[in-house]
Amino acid sequence: MTQAWMSAAERIQGRATVAPPGRGAPRAVWSVTGSDPATRSAGQEARRLVAERRETHLVWNPLTGEIVQLLPATRRGRIDLGGTHLYEQHVDHGLEGRVCLVVAVVARPDTPFTDGPMRGLEPVLAWLDSWGVARRWNGALPGRPEEPGNPDESSARAWSRGGHFGQDHVPGSGATGPGHVEPARLLAPSPAVERDTAAEQAGSAFEPATAPNGRRPSAIA
């Protein structure tokens, strides 16, 4: 049964982007806040995102298990996920899919949150499952390059298939996170995570990005 509001989450009301109903496969996008989960709560980060007009659907602290919801699943967040110009058209990819649910994890991109405890993960995944988001990681592995060729076209192909994505691999994204997280651990237990061939063939090891202005790197651009 689908629920626009996740029953296990605290609510902090955010504002949504006004947009027509989306079409295509459901998607979930994983981002990080660029903050330390030991010192910042999900509630603090949620209020910051509201103040900055960059609402996501959920904010989750994997260290404490705290979950805060800012928007119902039926609305679009104001965070800029990415856009591309393909075939002489501008596409805002945050508006695509029957749903496009964004989870901001209280974590830093240079410290993969899948390496530590992930308290509260199961209710998050169950909620995403209920909206038809396949437990499949599409595109390149987090923190690794896209498949060879036109990066916009290759990432758009992966994006069109739906499933789970890191924010840095949304087509046209300028984000640096979520960092080198491990999809197999994030999306387990059952059903087992699937990966595209492109993900298996993705190349080099992750090197943390440093923002040119010297600020802490964050997937929330």
Side-chain angles (χ1 to χ4, degrees):
M1 177 180 177
T2 58
Q3 294 182 325
W5 292 94
M6 183 179 167
S7 59
E10 175 190 351
R11 293 188 194 179
I12 294 177
Q13 187 68 52
R15 295 186 64 184
T17 293
V18 177
R23 300 175 61 185
R27 300 153 168 92
V29 176
W30 295 84
S31 183
V32 292
T33 61
S35 49
D36 185 349
T39 61
R40 296 283 293 180
S41 71
Q44 288 173 312
E45 289 301 301
R47 291 181 180 89
R48 178 175 68 84
L49 293 178
V50 171
E52 295 174 355
R53 302 180 180 182
R54 297 187 296 156
E55 288 92 338
T56 60
H57 292 86
L58 301 181
V59 182
W60 168 52
N61 185 315
L63 191 61
T64 65
E66 180 190 11
I67 306 166
V68 175
Q69 185 168 359
L70 305 179
L71 300 170
T74 52
R75 304 298 295 273
R76 305 286 167 156
R78 291 199 289 177
I79 183 173
D80 182 12
L81 293 180
T84 54
H85 286 82
L86 290 173
Y87 312 113
E88 300 183 355
Q89 292 184 342
H90 176 75
V91 179
D92 183 341
H93 295 292
L95 303 182
E96 294 185 307
R98 293 190 292 278
V99 293
C100 183
L101 305 172
V102 186
V103 182
V105 183
V106 183
R108 295 176 57 85
D110 54 1
T111 306
F113 64 85
T114 53
D115 289 352
M118 292 189 287
R119 299 181 178 95
L121 175 61
E122 272 309 303
V124 172
L125 290 178
W127 187 68
L128 299 175
D129 289 346
S130 74
W131 283 96
V133 180
R135 286 206 199 184
R136 177 182 63 246
W137 194 277
N138 271 326
L141 292 175
R144 298 186 184 180
E146 300 284 356
E147 57 187 292
N150 185 312
D152 286 345
E153 290 187 0
S154 62
S155 60
R157 284 196 300 271
W159 180 251
S160 69
R161 293 190 285 269
H164 292 253
F165 298 83
Q167 190 188 353
D168 55 346
H169 286 142
V170 176
S173 173
T176 61
H180 195 187
V181 299
E182 178 48 61
R185 184 157 189 260
L186 176 62
L187 303 185
S190 66
V193 61
E194 304 170 28
R195 291 181 183 165
D196 282 354
T197 302
E200 297 295 344
Q201 294 176 345
S204 61
F206 169 69
E207 296 180 0
T210 301
N213 59 7
R215 296 173 63 187
R216 68 187 180 193
S218 171
I220 299 181

